[in-house]
């Protein structure tokens, strides 16, 4: 869905994307921002957003291209101690065909997939993708396969049952 509005010589636009796939087990939270006027706002929890980001990081197939912003976001979620919504991640993986086992996708399964991806990411390409968005790109000098591999020890997991948390 695209929205364009002309105001004088300025053009404003916004774009909304809706995922048409079936993975709908994400958790939601509600809030009431007060500015510019009070209104209800329904959003995904950070835990579910993290799961969506990890699905992209693990499964994105752009050939030789790397989306360094996925890795940047991964670092942000881990630094903030956001737990990974395993139910939503499993549903996304099943929906995309990346998990076809009959058993539940577990922490060990995630760690194995993540470790393989972290070991194979082209760090220089990831840096190049992120660099234009940073005020101080020197922070990227610490990016390495070892840095990303070390995150395996820092991931937190939010397990939910399919009955209690499904939306």
């Amino acid at each position: 869905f695209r929205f364009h509005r002309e105001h004088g010589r300025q053009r404003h636009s916004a774009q909304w994307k809706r995922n048409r796939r079936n993975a709908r087990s994400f958790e939601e939270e509600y809030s009431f921002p007060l500015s510019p006027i009070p209104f209800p706002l329904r959003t995904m929890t950070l835990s579910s957003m993290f799961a969506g980001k990890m699905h992209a990081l693990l499964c994105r197939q752009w050939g030789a291209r790397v989306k360094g912003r996925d890795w940047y976001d991964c670092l942000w979620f881990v630094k903030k101690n956001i737990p990974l919504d395993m139910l939503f991640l499993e549903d996304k993986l099943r929906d995309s065909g990346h998990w076809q086992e009959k058993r539940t996708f577990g922490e060990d399964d995630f760690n194995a997939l993540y470790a393989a991806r972290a070991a194979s990411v082209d760090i220089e390409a990831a840096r190049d993708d992120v660099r234009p968005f940073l005020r101080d790109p020197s922070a990227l000098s610490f990016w390495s396969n070892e840095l990303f591999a070390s995150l395996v020890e820092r991931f937190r997991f939010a397990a939910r049952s399919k009955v209690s948390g499904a939306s």
Side-chain angles (χ1 to χ4, degrees):
F1 173 73
R2 287 189 184 272
F3 169 77
H4 298 285
R5 181 173 178 220
E6 303 269 341
H7 183 71
R9 286 195 246 171
Q10 294 180 338
R11 181 178 175 156
H12 305 279
S13 65
Q15 180 175 340
W16 289 269
K17 291 183 180 179
R18 183 175 182 273
N19 188 343
R20 288 189 166 83
R21 297 194 182 258
N22 295 321
R24 291 186 168 85
S25 60
F26 58 87
E27 283 191 308
E28 302 172 322
E29 52 192 12
Y30 298 87
S31 62
F32 291 90
L34 301 177
S35 180
I37 60 171
F39 62 96
L41 181 64
R42 182 176 72 173
T43 60
M44 277 182 147
T45 63
L46 287 174
S47 185
S48 291
M49 282 189 235
F50 189 16
K53 179 53 67 175
M54 291 312 295
H55 176 264
L57 186 147
L58 295 172
C59 303
R60 191 183 306 274
Q61 295 178 344
W62 283 4
R65 289 179 53 204
V66 174
K67 189 162 181 186
R69 288 164 281 173
D70 289 341
W71 294 94
Y72 183 90
D73 292 343
C74 177
L75 285 169
W76 185 89
F77 281 105
V78 171
K79 181 174 76 173
K80 298 286 185 183
N81 289 314
I82 306 297
L84 182 60
D85 181 342
M86 291 297 284
L87 176 61
F88 186 46
L89 179 57
E90 178 181 343
D91 283 352
K92 298 242 347 141
L93 289 167
R94 286 187 187 283
D95 196 50
S96 65
H98 290 93
W99 183 255
Q100 298 176 357
E101 302 287 329
K102 292 186 187 217
R103 63 184 173 78
T104 300
F105 182 76
E107 294 175 19
D108 290 340
D109 301 308
F110 169 79
N111 287 337
L113 285 176
Y114 176 82
R117 190 78 164 128
S120 67
V121 66
D122 180 340
I123 295 298
E124 200 53 47
R127 287 179 185 146
D128 290 344
D129 180 63
V130 173
R131 192 171 283 114
F133 301 99
L134 300 179
R135 288 185 187 149
D136 181 11
S138 68
L140 299 174
S141 64
F142 298 106
W143 279 29
S144 66
N145 296 90
E146 294 78 17
L147 166 67
F148 290 111
S150 76
L151 297 182
V152 167
E153 301 299 319
R154 297 179 184 201
F155 285 114
R156 294 180 48 229
F157 300 94
R160 298 186 288 126
S161 69
K162 290 195 182 280
V163 176
S164 68
S167 301

